[in-house]
Amino acid sequence: MAYSKLKSAVAVLSICAAGAAYADKSDGTLSVAFTKELENVDSYFNSSREGVVLQRAVWDGLVYRDPVTSEYKGNLATAWEWIDDVTLEFKLREGVTFHNGEAFNADDVVFTVNFVADAENGVKTQRNVSWMKSAEKIDDYTVRINLRAPFPAAIEFLSGPVSMYPNEYYAEVGPKGMGLNPVGTGPYKVAEVIPGQRFVLERNAGYHDSPKGQPSIERVDIRTIPDINTQIAELFNGTLDLIWQTPADQAEKLAEMDQFTVANESTMRIGYLTLDAAGRTGEDNPFTNLKVRQAVAHAINREALVSALLKGKSQVISTACFPSQFGCDQAVKSYDYDPEKAKALLAEAGYEDGFTTEFYAYRNRDYAEAISSYLNAVGIKTDFKMLKYSALRELRTAKGTPVSFQTWGSYSINDTSAITSQFFKLGALDDARDPELRDWLDVADSSTNPDTRKEFYSKALNKIADNAYWVPMFSYNTNYVYGNDISYTPTPDEVLRFTTMTWN
Protein backbone atom coordinates (compact mmCIF):
# COMPACT_ATOMS: atom_id res chain seq x y z
CA MET A 1 0.00 0.00 0.00
CA ALA A 2 1.36 3.41 -0.93
CA TYR A 3 2.17 5.76 1.93
CA SER A 4 -0.52 8.23 0.86
CA LYS A 5 -3.16 5.52 0.93
CA LEU A 6 -1.91 4.34 4.30
CA LYS A 7 -2.04 7.87 5.67
CA SER A 8 -5.63 8.25 4.48
CA ALA A 9 -6.66 4.90 5.90
CA VAL A 10 -5.16 5.66 9.29
CA ALA A 11 -6.71 9.12 9.30
CA VAL A 12 -10.17 7.68 8.65
CA LEU A 13 -9.71 5.10 11.35
CA SER A 14 -8.49 7.70 13.83
CA ILE A 15 -11.66 9.73 13.38
CA CYS A 16 -13.83 6.83 14.48
CA ALA A 17 -11.40 5.56 17.07
CA ALA A 18 -12.45 8.02 19.73
CA GLY A 19 -15.85 6.36 19.93
CA ALA A 20 -14.62 2.78 19.60
CA ALA A 21 -15.75 0.53 22.41
CA TYR A 22 -13.15 -1.99 23.50
CA ALA A 23 -14.25 -5.55 24.02
CA ASP A 24 -15.25 -6.50 27.56
CA LYS A 25 -12.17 -8.08 29.15
CA SER A 26 -14.10 -9.61 32.04
CA ASP A 27 -13.60 -13.01 30.41
CA GLY A 28 -9.83 -12.47 30.43
CA THR A 29 -9.40 -13.06 26.68
CA LEU A 30 -6.44 -11.47 24.92
CA SER A 31 -6.98 -11.27 21.14
CA VAL A 32 -3.80 -11.43 19.06
CA ALA A 33 -3.07 -11.51 15.31
CA PHE A 34 -0.54 -13.65 13.46
CA THR A 35 0.37 -12.42 9.97
CA LYS A 36 1.73 -15.68 8.55
CA GLU A 37 -0.14 -18.96 8.32
CA LEU A 38 1.40 -21.62 10.55
CA GLU A 39 1.95 -24.87 8.66
CA ASN A 40 1.85 -27.15 11.72
CA VAL A 41 1.52 -26.36 15.44
CA ASP A 42 3.84 -29.27 16.33
CA SER A 43 6.97 -27.32 17.20
CA TYR A 44 9.28 -29.82 15.50
CA PHE A 45 7.43 -29.59 12.20
CA ASN A 46 7.42 -25.86 11.54
CA SER A 47 10.19 -23.31 11.38
CA SER A 48 8.30 -20.01 11.55
CA ARG A 49 8.44 -17.35 14.24
CA GLU A 50 4.75 -17.90 14.95
CA GLY A 51 5.61 -21.51 15.69
CA VAL A 52 8.31 -20.42 18.13
CA VAL A 53 5.78 -18.24 19.97
CA LEU A 54 3.36 -21.15 20.36
CA GLN A 55 6.17 -23.52 21.29
CA ARG A 56 7.25 -21.36 24.22
CA ALA A 57 3.64 -21.03 25.42
CA VAL A 58 2.55 -24.67 25.11
CA TRP A 59 5.71 -26.67 25.78
CA ASP A 60 8.72 -26.51 28.07
CA GLY A 61 12.36 -27.41 27.65
CA LEU A 62 14.69 -28.86 30.21
CA VAL A 63 16.40 -25.48 30.56
CA TYR A 64 15.28 -21.86 30.30
CA ARG A 65 17.45 -18.89 29.31
CA ASP A 66 16.38 -15.63 30.89
CA PRO A 67 15.93 -13.21 27.94
CA VAL A 68 17.14 -10.26 30.00
CA THR A 69 20.13 -11.67 31.91
CA SER A 70 20.92 -14.62 29.57
CA GLU A 71 21.23 -16.80 32.70
CA TYR A 72 20.38 -20.48 32.27
CA LYS A 73 17.81 -21.73 34.77
CA GLY A 74 16.27 -25.12 35.39
CA ASN A 75 12.82 -25.64 33.90
CA LEU A 76 11.81 -29.30 33.45
CA ALA A 77 15.26 -30.08 34.80
CA THR A 78 16.44 -28.81 38.16
CA ALA A 79 20.16 -29.48 37.64
CA TRP A 80 22.57 -30.72 35.00
CA GLU A 81 26.22 -31.59 34.54
CA TRP A 82 28.60 -32.67 31.81
CA ILE A 83 29.67 -36.25 32.45
CA ASP A 84 32.14 -35.95 29.57
CA ASP A 85 32.35 -34.01 26.29
CA VAL A 86 29.47 -35.95 24.74
CA THR A 87 27.24 -36.78 27.74
CA LEU A 88 24.90 -34.49 29.66
CA GLU A 89 23.08 -35.70 32.78
CA PHE A 90 19.89 -34.01 34.00
CA LYS A 91 17.97 -34.21 37.25
CA LEU A 92 14.31 -33.74 36.39
CA ARG A 93 11.63 -31.76 38.17
CA GLU A 94 9.15 -33.97 40.01
CA GLY A 95 5.40 -33.43 40.22
CA VAL A 96 4.96 -31.97 36.71
CA THR A 97 2.04 -33.14 34.57
CA PHE A 98 1.25 -32.67 30.92
CA HIS A 99 -1.97 -30.94 29.88
CA ASN A 100 -3.63 -34.33 29.32
CA GLY A 101 -2.77 -35.56 32.81
CA GLU A 102 0.28 -37.68 31.93
CA ALA A 103 3.03 -37.43 34.53
CA PHE A 104 6.33 -36.02 33.30
CA ASN A 105 9.40 -38.18 33.92
CA ALA A 106 12.52 -39.57 32.29
CA ASP A 107 10.51 -41.70 29.86
CA ASP A 108 9.23 -38.55 28.18
CA VAL A 109 12.72 -37.10 27.76
CA VAL A 110 14.10 -40.36 26.37
CA PHE A 111 11.21 -40.74 23.93
CA THR A 112 11.36 -37.12 22.75
CA VAL A 113 15.12 -37.05 22.22
CA ASN A 114 15.25 -40.42 20.51
CA PHE A 115 12.37 -39.47 18.20
CA VAL A 116 13.62 -36.05 17.11
CA ALA A 117 17.27 -37.15 16.82
CA ASP A 118 16.30 -39.80 14.27
CA ALA A 119 16.55 -38.04 10.90
CA GLU A 120 14.02 -40.45 9.39
CA ASN A 121 11.31 -38.84 11.51
CA GLY A 122 11.72 -35.66 9.50
CA VAL A 123 12.03 -32.85 12.04
CA LYS A 124 11.74 -29.68 9.94
CA THR A 125 14.90 -27.95 11.17
CA GLN A 126 17.39 -30.78 11.56
CA ARG A 127 20.12 -28.48 12.82
CA ASN A 128 18.17 -27.98 16.05
CA VAL A 129 18.26 -31.67 16.94
CA SER A 130 20.88 -33.48 14.85
CA TRP A 131 23.60 -32.87 17.46
CA MET A 132 21.82 -35.33 19.80
CA LYS A 133 22.46 -39.03 19.35
CA SER A 134 20.14 -40.57 21.95
CA ALA A 135 18.90 -40.38 25.52
CA GLU A 136 18.93 -42.99 28.26
CA LYS A 137 17.03 -43.29 31.51
CA ILE A 138 19.06 -43.61 34.70
CA ASP A 139 16.02 -43.57 36.96
CA ASP A 140 12.55 -41.99 36.85
CA TYR A 141 13.96 -38.50 37.36
CA THR A 142 17.49 -38.78 35.99
CA VAL A 143 18.32 -38.91 32.31
CA ARG A 144 21.39 -38.68 30.13
CA ILE A 145 21.54 -37.14 26.66
CA ASN A 146 24.27 -38.55 24.46
CA LEU A 147 25.73 -36.26 21.80
CA ARG A 148 26.99 -37.36 18.39
CA ALA A 149 30.11 -35.23 18.94
CA PRO A 150 31.13 -32.48 21.34
CA PHE A 151 28.64 -29.62 20.97
CA PRO A 152 29.32 -26.77 23.39
CA ALA A 153 26.09 -24.97 22.43
CA ALA A 154 23.98 -27.87 23.74
CA ILE A 155 22.51 -26.03 26.74
CA GLU A 156 21.62 -23.05 24.54
CA PHE A 157 19.68 -25.33 22.17
CA LEU A 158 18.04 -27.19 25.05
CA SER A 159 16.82 -23.84 26.39
CA GLY A 160 15.24 -23.00 23.04
CA PRO A 161 13.81 -25.24 20.31
CA VAL A 162 14.10 -28.60 22.10
CA SER A 163 10.78 -29.13 23.91
CA MET A 164 9.72 -32.21 25.84
CA TYR A 165 6.69 -34.18 24.64
CA PRO A 166 4.48 -36.77 26.43
CA ASN A 167 5.77 -40.16 25.34
CA GLU A 168 2.49 -42.09 25.46
CA TYR A 169 0.41 -39.46 23.70
CA TYR A 170 2.97 -38.67 21.00
CA ALA A 171 3.59 -42.33 20.25
CA GLU A 172 -0.14 -42.64 19.63
CA VAL A 173 -0.92 -39.50 17.62
CA GLY A 174 2.40 -38.44 16.05
CA PRO A 175 3.13 -35.02 14.51
CA LYS A 176 -0.25 -34.78 12.77
CA GLY A 177 -2.18 -35.41 15.98
CA MET A 178 0.08 -33.13 17.99
CA GLY A 179 -0.53 -30.41 15.40
CA LEU A 180 -4.30 -30.68 15.77
CA ASN A 181 -4.45 -31.27 19.53
CA PRO A 182 -1.16 -30.12 21.08
CA VAL A 183 -0.21 -31.35 24.54
CA GLY A 184 2.68 -29.96 26.55
CA THR A 185 3.59 -28.95 30.10
CA GLY A 186 3.72 -25.23 29.34
CA PRO A 187 1.96 -22.23 30.89
CA TYR A 188 -0.88 -22.42 28.35
CA LYS A 189 -3.04 -25.31 27.18
CA VAL A 190 -4.40 -25.42 23.64
CA ALA A 191 -8.18 -25.28 23.66
CA GLU A 192 -8.80 -25.02 19.91
CA VAL A 193 -6.90 -25.35 16.65
CA ILE A 194 -8.30 -24.42 13.25
CA PRO A 195 -5.24 -25.09 11.07
CA GLY A 196 -3.86 -21.94 9.52
CA GLN A 197 -6.64 -19.77 10.94
CA ARG A 198 -7.04 -19.80 14.72
CA PHE A 199 -5.36 -21.00 17.90
CA VAL A 200 -7.00 -20.60 21.29
CA LEU A 201 -4.88 -20.98 24.43
CA GLU A 202 -6.12 -21.30 28.01
CA ARG A 203 -4.13 -20.66 31.16
CA ASN A 204 -2.64 -23.76 32.75
CA ALA A 205 -3.79 -23.28 36.34
CA GLY A 206 -1.57 -26.14 37.48
CA TYR A 207 1.61 -24.84 35.89
CA HIS A 208 4.74 -25.84 37.78
CA ASP A 209 7.20 -23.45 39.41
CA SER A 210 8.85 -22.45 36.14
CA PRO A 211 11.23 -19.54 35.49
CA LYS A 212 8.87 -18.59 32.67
CA GLY A 213 6.54 -17.25 35.36
CA GLN A 214 2.92 -17.98 36.11
CA PRO A 215 0.39 -16.91 33.47
CA SER A 216 -2.01 -14.15 34.45
CA ILE A 217 -4.14 -13.74 31.33
CA GLU A 218 -6.73 -16.51 31.25
CA ARG A 219 -7.26 -16.96 27.53
CA VAL A 220 -5.37 -16.03 24.35
CA ASP A 221 -7.26 -16.03 21.05
CA ILE A 222 -4.83 -15.96 18.11
CA ARG A 223 -6.15 -15.44 14.58
CA THR A 224 -4.25 -15.48 11.29
CA ILE A 225 -4.86 -12.12 9.59
CA PRO A 226 -2.40 -11.65 6.70
CA ASP A 227 -3.36 -8.06 5.86
CA ILE A 228 -1.83 -5.47 8.19
CA ASN A 229 -4.51 -2.90 7.42
CA THR A 230 -7.19 -5.35 8.52
CA GLN A 231 -5.22 -5.91 11.72
CA ILE A 232 -5.11 -2.18 12.37
CA ALA A 233 -8.83 -1.81 11.71
CA GLU A 234 -9.58 -4.58 14.21
CA LEU A 235 -7.25 -2.98 16.72
CA PHE A 236 -9.30 0.20 16.47
CA ASN A 237 -12.66 -1.51 16.86
CA GLY A 238 -11.44 -3.57 19.80
CA THR A 239 -11.64 -7.06 18.27
CA LEU A 240 -7.83 -7.24 18.51
CA ASP A 241 -5.81 -6.29 21.58
CA LEU A 242 -2.28 -6.80 20.29
CA ILE A 243 -0.55 -6.88 16.93
CA TRP A 244 3.16 -7.28 16.27
CA GLN A 245 5.67 -7.19 13.42
CA THR A 246 3.87 -3.97 12.46
CA PRO A 247 5.64 -2.04 9.66
CA ALA A 248 7.40 1.13 10.78
CA ASP A 249 5.19 3.62 8.94
CA GLN A 250 1.98 2.21 10.43
CA ALA A 251 3.57 1.95 13.88
CA GLU A 252 4.62 5.62 13.75
CA LYS A 253 1.04 6.70 13.01
CA LEU A 254 -0.38 4.49 15.74
CA ALA A 255 2.14 5.84 18.24
CA GLU A 256 0.57 9.29 17.81
CA MET A 257 -2.73 8.01 19.18
CA ASP A 258 -3.30 8.03 22.91
CA GLN A 259 -5.20 4.73 23.09
CA PHE A 260 -2.26 2.57 21.99
CA THR A 261 1.17 1.65 23.28
CA VAL A 262 3.78 1.11 20.57
CA ALA A 263 6.95 -0.65 21.70
CA ASN A 264 9.93 -1.19 19.41
CA GLU A 265 12.52 -3.83 20.24
CA SER A 266 15.48 -5.34 18.39
CA THR A 267 15.43 -8.98 17.35
CA MET A 268 18.00 -11.62 16.43
CA ARG A 269 16.43 -11.91 12.97
CA ILE A 270 18.47 -10.82 9.97
CA GLY A 271 17.42 -10.32 6.37
CA TYR A 272 19.70 -11.45 3.55
CA LEU A 273 19.83 -12.45 -0.08
CA THR A 274 20.81 -16.01 -0.86
CA LEU A 275 22.40 -16.50 -4.29
CA ASP A 276 22.71 -19.74 -6.26
CA ALA A 277 26.49 -19.93 -6.23
CA ALA A 278 26.41 -23.73 -6.40
CA GLY A 279 24.43 -23.79 -9.65
CA ARG A 280 21.44 -25.66 -8.29
CA THR A 281 19.17 -23.89 -10.78
CA GLY A 282 21.62 -24.48 -13.63
CA GLU A 283 25.39 -24.61 -13.78
CA ASP A 284 25.45 -21.61 -16.13
CA ASN A 285 23.17 -19.38 -14.05
CA PRO A 286 24.74 -15.92 -13.55
CA PHE A 287 25.08 -16.27 -9.77
CA THR A 288 27.72 -18.98 -10.11
CA ASN A 289 29.99 -16.09 -11.13
CA LEU A 290 31.69 -14.35 -8.19
CA LYS A 291 31.65 -10.96 -9.91
CA VAL A 292 27.89 -11.17 -10.40
CA ARG A 293 27.38 -11.94 -6.73
CA GLN A 294 29.64 -9.05 -5.76
CA ALA A 295 27.70 -6.81 -8.15
CA VAL A 296 24.50 -7.71 -6.31
CA ALA A 297 26.15 -6.77 -3.02
CA HIS A 298 27.22 -3.36 -4.36
CA ALA A 299 23.85 -2.69 -6.02
CA ILE A 300 21.79 -2.36 -2.84
CA ASN A 301 21.70 0.65 -0.53
CA ARG A 302 21.26 -1.11 2.78
CA GLU A 303 21.59 2.08 4.83
CA ALA A 304 18.69 3.61 2.92
CA LEU A 305 16.56 0.51 3.47
CA VAL A 306 17.15 0.65 7.21
CA SER A 307 16.50 4.38 7.55
CA ALA A 308 13.47 4.51 5.25
CA LEU A 309 11.72 1.20 5.83
CA LEU A 310 12.87 -0.68 8.93
CA LYS A 311 13.76 2.23 11.25
CA GLY A 312 13.68 1.53 15.00
CA LYS A 313 16.52 -0.58 16.37
CA SER A 314 17.52 -2.19 13.06
CA GLN A 315 21.10 -1.98 11.80
CA VAL A 316 23.03 -2.81 8.63
CA ILE A 317 24.51 -6.31 8.75
CA SER A 318 27.57 -7.45 6.76
CA THR A 319 28.15 -10.91 8.18
CA ALA A 320 26.11 -14.11 8.00
CA CYS A 321 24.98 -14.08 11.63
CA PHE A 322 23.59 -11.73 14.27
CA PRO A 323 26.20 -9.60 16.10
CA SER A 324 25.37 -10.83 19.62
CA GLN A 325 25.73 -14.50 18.72
CA PHE A 326 28.80 -16.27 20.05
CA GLY A 327 31.43 -16.42 17.32
CA CYS A 328 29.82 -13.83 15.03
CA ASP A 329 32.90 -12.04 13.74
CA GLN A 330 32.00 -8.56 12.43
CA ALA A 331 35.40 -7.89 10.82
CA VAL A 332 34.50 -9.27 7.39
CA LYS A 333 34.45 -7.79 3.90
CA SER A 334 31.62 -5.27 3.52
CA TYR A 335 30.17 -4.07 0.23
CA ASP A 336 29.38 -0.36 0.01
CA TYR A 337 26.50 0.90 -2.09
CA ASP A 338 28.12 1.59 -5.46
CA PRO A 339 25.82 1.03 -8.46
CA GLU A 340 28.52 2.04 -10.96
CA LYS A 341 30.87 -0.56 -9.55
CA ALA A 342 28.03 -3.10 -9.70
CA LYS A 343 27.54 -2.35 -13.41
CA ALA A 344 31.29 -2.63 -14.04
CA LEU A 345 31.44 -6.00 -12.30
CA LEU A 346 28.50 -7.24 -14.38
CA ALA A 347 30.30 -6.15 -17.54
CA GLU A 348 33.49 -7.91 -16.44
CA ALA A 349 31.42 -11.05 -15.88
CA GLY A 350 30.08 -10.87 -19.43
CA TYR A 351 26.74 -9.26 -18.64
CA GLU A 352 27.28 -5.74 -19.93
CA ASP A 353 23.61 -5.59 -20.94
CA GLY A 354 22.46 -7.24 -17.75
CA PHE A 355 20.22 -10.28 -17.50
CA THR A 356 16.81 -11.38 -16.23
CA THR A 357 16.33 -13.61 -13.21
CA GLU A 358 13.55 -14.92 -11.01
CA PHE A 359 13.61 -13.24 -7.60
CA TYR A 360 11.66 -14.77 -4.71
CA ALA A 361 10.46 -13.55 -1.33
CA TYR A 362 7.95 -14.67 1.29
CA ARG A 363 7.57 -11.68 3.61
CA ASN A 364 7.98 -7.91 3.75
CA ARG A 365 6.90 -7.27 0.17
CA ASP A 366 7.91 -3.61 0.48
CA TYR A 367 11.46 -4.54 1.49
CA ALA A 368 11.69 -7.13 -1.29
CA GLU A 369 10.33 -4.73 -3.91
CA ALA A 370 12.85 -2.07 -2.85
CA ILE A 371 15.68 -4.60 -3.19
CA SER A 372 14.30 -5.63 -6.58
CA SER A 373 14.33 -1.98 -7.70
CA TYR A 374 18.00 -1.63 -6.78
CA LEU A 375 18.84 -4.76 -8.79
CA ASN A 376 16.80 -3.56 -11.77
CA ALA A 377 18.69 -0.25 -11.69
CA VAL A 378 22.04 -1.92 -12.40
CA GLY A 379 20.69 -4.23 -15.10
CA ILE A 380 19.63 -7.30 -13.12
CA LYS A 381 16.00 -7.42 -14.26
CA THR A 382 13.92 -9.30 -11.71
CA ASP A 383 10.88 -11.47 -12.33
CA PHE A 384 9.50 -10.95 -8.81
CA LYS A 385 7.58 -13.82 -7.21
CA MET A 386 5.99 -13.60 -3.76
CA LEU A 387 5.24 -17.02 -2.21
CA LYS A 388 4.02 -18.28 1.14
CA TYR A 389 6.86 -19.23 3.48
CA SER A 390 6.20 -22.97 3.34
CA ALA A 391 5.98 -22.96 -0.47
CA LEU A 392 9.23 -21.05 -0.89
CA ARG A 393 11.02 -23.26 1.61
CA GLU A 394 9.90 -26.38 -0.24
CA LEU A 395 11.00 -24.89 -3.57
CA ARG A 396 14.41 -24.01 -2.19
CA THR A 397 14.73 -27.46 -0.62
CA ALA A 398 13.78 -29.26 -3.84
CA LYS A 399 15.75 -27.36 -6.47
CA GLY A 400 16.87 -23.99 -5.17
CA THR A 401 16.18 -20.49 -6.44
CA PRO A 402 18.47 -18.12 -8.37
CA VAL A 403 18.11 -15.33 -5.82
CA SER A 404 15.72 -14.94 -2.91
CA PHE A 405 15.15 -12.57 -0.03
CA GLN A 406 15.21 -14.60 3.17
CA THR A 407 15.17 -13.98 6.91
CA TRP A 408 16.29 -16.10 9.84
CA GLY A 409 15.72 -15.55 13.53
CA SER A 410 17.95 -18.44 14.74
CA TYR A 411 15.12 -19.70 16.98
CA SER A 412 16.46 -16.97 19.30
CA ILE A 413 19.59 -19.08 19.93
CA ASN A 414 22.51 -16.82 20.79
CA ASP A 415 25.16 -18.88 19.02
CA THR A 416 26.50 -18.64 15.46
CA SER A 417 25.88 -22.36 14.96
CA ALA A 418 22.15 -21.57 14.91
CA ILE A 419 22.43 -19.66 11.63
CA THR A 420 25.74 -20.01 9.79
CA SER A 421 25.96 -23.77 10.41
CA GLN A 422 22.28 -24.11 9.55
CA PHE A 423 22.84 -22.86 5.99
CA PHE A 424 26.46 -23.63 5.08
CA LYS A 425 26.99 -27.31 5.90
CA LEU A 426 25.77 -28.80 2.61
CA GLY A 427 22.15 -29.13 3.75
CA ALA A 428 19.06 -28.77 1.57
CA LEU A 429 19.02 -24.97 1.95
CA ASP A 430 22.75 -24.47 1.30
CA ASP A 431 23.16 -22.52 -1.95
CA ALA A 432 26.96 -22.36 -1.70
CA ARG A 433 27.76 -26.08 -1.23
CA ASP A 434 31.33 -25.33 -0.19
CA PRO A 435 32.95 -28.36 1.53
CA GLU A 436 35.65 -26.21 3.10
CA LEU A 437 33.00 -24.16 4.89
CA ARG A 438 31.38 -27.35 6.12
CA ASP A 439 34.67 -28.59 7.51
CA TRP A 440 35.48 -25.31 9.29
CA LEU A 441 31.99 -25.09 10.76
CA ASP A 442 32.23 -28.68 11.99
CA VAL A 443 35.30 -27.66 13.98
CA ALA A 444 33.63 -24.52 15.31
CA ASP A 445 30.46 -26.38 16.26
CA SER A 446 32.21 -29.17 18.13
CA SER A 447 35.30 -27.68 19.78
CA THR A 448 35.17 -27.26 23.54
CA ASN A 449 37.77 -24.48 23.30
CA PRO A 450 35.98 -21.10 22.91
CA ASP A 451 38.96 -19.54 21.13
CA THR A 452 39.02 -22.37 18.58
CA ARG A 453 35.31 -21.94 18.00
CA LYS A 454 35.75 -18.22 17.37
CA GLU A 455 38.72 -18.83 15.04
CA PHE A 456 36.86 -21.26 12.80
CA TYR A 457 33.61 -19.32 12.76
CA SER A 458 35.69 -16.32 11.72
CA LYS A 459 37.32 -18.28 8.88
CA ALA A 460 33.93 -19.41 7.64
CA LEU A 461 32.28 -15.99 7.93
CA ASN A 462 35.14 -14.29 6.10
CA LYS A 463 34.98 -16.78 3.24
CA ILE A 464 31.20 -16.35 2.97
CA ALA A 465 31.67 -12.57 2.75
CA ASP A 466 34.64 -12.70 0.35
CA ASN A 467 32.69 -14.97 -1.99
CA ALA A 468 29.38 -13.14 -1.53
CA TYR A 469 27.61 -16.45 -0.98
CA TRP A 470 25.05 -14.41 0.95
CA VAL A 471 24.37 -10.71 0.80
CA PRO A 472 23.48 -9.88 4.42
CA MET A 473 21.20 -6.86 4.56
CA PHE A 474 19.99 -5.77 7.98
CA SER A 475 18.79 -6.87 11.35
CA TYR A 476 15.11 -6.65 12.12
CA ASN A 477 13.28 -4.86 14.84
CA THR A 478 9.71 -5.57 15.85
CA ASN A 479 6.95 -3.08 16.56
CA TYR A 480 4.41 -4.28 19.09
CA VAL A 481 1.14 -2.35 19.23
CA TYR A 482 -1.38 -2.95 22.00
CA GLY A 483 -4.10 -1.21 23.94
CA ASN A 484 -3.30 0.75 27.07
CA ASP A 485 -5.22 -1.82 29.11
CA ILE A 486 -2.30 -4.24 28.55
CA SER A 487 1.04 -4.19 30.34
CA TYR A 488 3.88 -5.82 28.41
CA THR A 489 7.62 -5.33 27.95
CA PRO A 490 8.94 -7.02 24.78
CA THR A 491 12.28 -8.83 24.84
CA PRO A 492 15.03 -8.69 22.19
CA ASP A 493 14.52 -12.31 21.10
CA GLU A 494 11.25 -11.75 19.15
CA VAL A 495 9.23 -14.13 21.34
CA LEU A 496 5.77 -13.04 22.42
CA ARG A 497 5.65 -14.12 26.05
CA PHE A 498 2.04 -14.32 27.17
CA THR A 499 3.16 -15.20 30.71
CA THR A 500 4.60 -11.70 31.15
CA MET A 501 1.48 -9.91 29.89
CA THR A 502 -1.10 -8.58 32.34
CA TRP A 503 -4.22 -6.45 32.23
CA ASN A 504 -3.84 -2.97 33.69
Side-chain angles (χ1 to χ4, degrees):
M1 184 182 226
Y3 180 77
S4 59
K5 292 182 180 178
L6 168 67
K7 186 174 181 180
S8 298
V10 173
V12 170
L13 287 170
S14 64
I15 291 171
C16 62
Y22 286 95
D24 180 8
K25 297 304 171 188
S26 60
D27 65 351
T29 299
L30 176 77
S31 296
V32 180
F34 277 179
T35 302
K36 293 202 304 292
E37 181 179 324
L38 185 60
E39 53 200 294
N40 189 333
V41 181
D42 186 322
S43 67
Y44 289 112
F45 290 88
N46 73 73
S47 57
S48 72
R49 178 56 41 171
E50 289 78 3
V52 173
V53 170
L54 287 178
Q55 179 230 355
R56 305 298 170 91
V58 177
W59 291 281
D60 287 314
L62 295 175
V63 183
Y64 178 77
R65 177 167 59 82
D66 188 299
V68 177
T69 67
S70 293
E71 178 187 0
Y72 295 116
K73 301 177 180 179
N75 195 1
L76 289 178
T78 56
W80 57 90
E81 65 173 327
W82 287 96
I83 302 302
D84 53 43
D85 285 350
V86 292
T87 310
L88 268 167
E89 182 172 287
F90 292 87
K91 296 295 182 182
L92 304 181
R93 189 181 298 274
E94 300 185 30
V96 177
T97 58
F98 287 94
H99 300 152
N100 64 352
E102 281 188 43
F104 167 75
N105 56 35
D107 293 329
D108 303 297
V109 179
V110 170
F111 178 87
T112 300
V113 171
N114 289 343
F115 178 86
V116 301
D118 184 349
E120 292 188 1
N121 288 322
V123 168
K124 180 69 73 173
T125 303
Q126 280 290 310
R127 179 69 195 155
N128 288 344
V129 296
S130 60
W131 54 274
M132 296 183 290
K133 179 181 179 182
S134 62
E136 57 182 310
K137 177 180 178 179
I138 306 303
D139 59 44
D140 281 349
Y141 293 99
T142 308
V143 67
R144 287 185 178 178
I145 295 179
N146 304 307
L147 283 57
R148 297 186 188 278
F151 187 64
I155 298 300
E156 177 70 14
F157 276 74
L158 288 167
S159 72
V162 182
S163 300
M164 294 300 128
Y165 280 11
N167 66 317
E168 296 173 16
Y169 179 72
Y170 203 53
E172 177 185 348
V173 304
K176 183 176 180 179
M178 185 65 91
L180 293 173
N181 187 16
V183 172
T185 61
Y188 282 91
K189 302 177 181 181
V190 178
E192 180 182 4
V193 172
I194 302 176
Q197 300 179 40
R198 188 176 214 136
F199 315 99
V200 179
L201 310 180
E202 291 182 348
R203 183 168 65 94
N204 179 7
Y207 191 45
H208 64 271
D209 185 20
S210 166
K212 288 183 179 181
Q214 294 298 313
S216 169
I217 290 176
E218 302 234 353
R219 188 176 173 93
V220 183
D221 185 351
I222 303 167
R223 287 180 292 131
T224 302
I225 305 175
D227 180 61
I228 182 61
N229 296 303
T230 302
Q231 291 185 19
I232 291 172
E234 292 210 26
L235 191 68
F236 273 109
N237 67 33
T239 53
L240 279 177
D241 300 301
L242 183 150
I243 62 177
W244 61 309
Q245 299 176 328
T246 307
D249 47 4
Q250 286 100 327
E252 287 174 347
K253 290 295 178 183
L254 292 167
E256 297 173 1
M257 302 174 188
D258 292 340
Q259 66 265 49
F260 300 118
T261 298
V262 178
N264 178 268
E265 185 52 85
S266 62
T267 78
M268 289 177 65
R269 180 173 301 276
I270 70 168
Y272 58 93
L273 295 184
T274 180
L275 308 174
D276 184 18
R280 299 181 67 200
T281 60
E283 292 183 4
D284 59 347
N285 91 76
F287 301 104
T288 59
N289 189 307
L290 172 60
K291 290 184 178 180
V292 171
R293 300 195 301 273
Q294 291 176 329
V296 170
H298 282 298
I300 300 163
N301 191 336
R302 297 174 298 161
E303 289 83 0
L305 291 174
V306 169
S307 62
L309 295 178
L310 284 94
K311 304 182 182 181
K313 295 185 178 181
S314 290
Q315 58 184 300
V316 170
I317 295 291
S318 294
T319 192
C321 49
F322 184 74
S324 74
Q325 291 176 309
F326 178 89
C328 186
D329 185 0
Q330 302 297 292
V332 302
K333 181 179 178 65
S334 182
Y335 297 85
D336 295 334
Y337 174 54
D338 190 340
E340 294 308 313
K341 186 170 185 177
K343 292 175 184 177
L345 284 165
L346 288 174
E348 291 174 26
Y351 297 99
E352 186 172 358
D353 297 325
F355 59 88
T356 299
T357 182
E358 293 177 330
F359 173 50
Y360 291 86
Y362 74 93
R363 64 178 285 169
N364 303 117
R365 176 183 284 272
D366 51 346
Y367 302 179
E369 288 178 343
I371 293 167
S372 176
S373 295
Y374 282 122
L375 296 178
N376 292 338
V378 300
I380 301 174
K381 305 172 202 59
T382 56
D383 177 11
F384 180 66
K385 299 178 184 295
M386 192 82 179
L387 302 182
K388 288 186 176 180
Y389 174 75
S390 57
L392 181 51
R393 182 186 174 97
E394 294 308 316
L395 175 63
R396 294 188 62 229
T397 298
K399 59 181 182 181
T401 54
V403 55
S404 65
F405 173 55
Q406 299 288 320
T407 78
W408 191 248
S410 297
Y411 284 86
S412 301
I413 295 168
N414 207 26
D415 193 272
T416 293
S417 62
I419 179 169
T420 314
S421 300
Q422 170 71 27
F423 294 104
F424 289 98
K425 291 182 68 169
L426 309 188
L429 296 174
D430 183 352
D431 291 322
R433 305 291 170 102
D434 186 327
E436 189 171 47
L437 284 178
R438 186 265 322 274
D439 293 344
W440 288 344
L441 290 168
D442 278 344
V443 174
D445 291 346
S446 61
S447 175
T448 56
N449 184 321
D451 290 336
T452 300
R453 297 191 73 210
K454 290 178 182 178
E455 175 189 353
F456 280 85
Y457 282 135
S458 178
K459 287 163 69 76
L461 291 166
N462 273 277
K463 185 172 187 181
I464 291 166
D466 290 344
N467 287 275
Y469 287 143
W470 272 12
V471 180
M473 308 293 289
F474 39 69
S475 66
Y476 273 73
N477 67 79
T478 293
N479 290 303
Y480 303 79
V481 185
Y482 42 93
N484 291 331
D485 54 348
I486 297 168
S487 176
Y488 179 55
T489 301
T491 51
D493 56 5
E494 201 185 7
V495 177
L496 277 176
R497 286 184 166 82
F498 302 122
T499 53
T500 65
M501 298 180 189
T502 60
W503 296 114
N504 285 327

